[in-house]
Amino acid sequence: MKFKVNDSCISCGMCAGSCPEVFHMADSGMAEAIPDDVAPEVEESAIDAMNNCPAGAIEEA
Ligand code: SF4
């Protein structure tokens, strides 16, 4: 399972805070997801971050 962040990101930082294994804040100020498949043990936390993103900016890639 892979994730990506689209242009709707409002830079709130929540995903990077709740699932730092997958998301980080890029120099642009917007969040970025790791390009690789996420490890099975962090999948649930990444899905939670996707579902809780206030901008709906996280998608399955
Ligand atoms: S939770 Fe959503 S809006 Fe907030 S930084 Fe992550 S992708 Fe951007």
Side-chain angles (χ1 to χ4, degrees), residues 40-57:
E41 61 269 25
V42 296
E43 233 174 58
E44 195 178 329
S45 141
I47 291 169
D48 281 349
M50 175 170 72
N51 290 337
N52 292 325
C53 170

Side-chain angles (χ1 to χ4, degrees), residues 5 9-15 25 31 53-55 57-58:
V5 177
C9 173
I10 56 169
S11 307
C12 75
M14 195 210 66
C15 57
M25 303 310 289
C53 170
I58 302 173

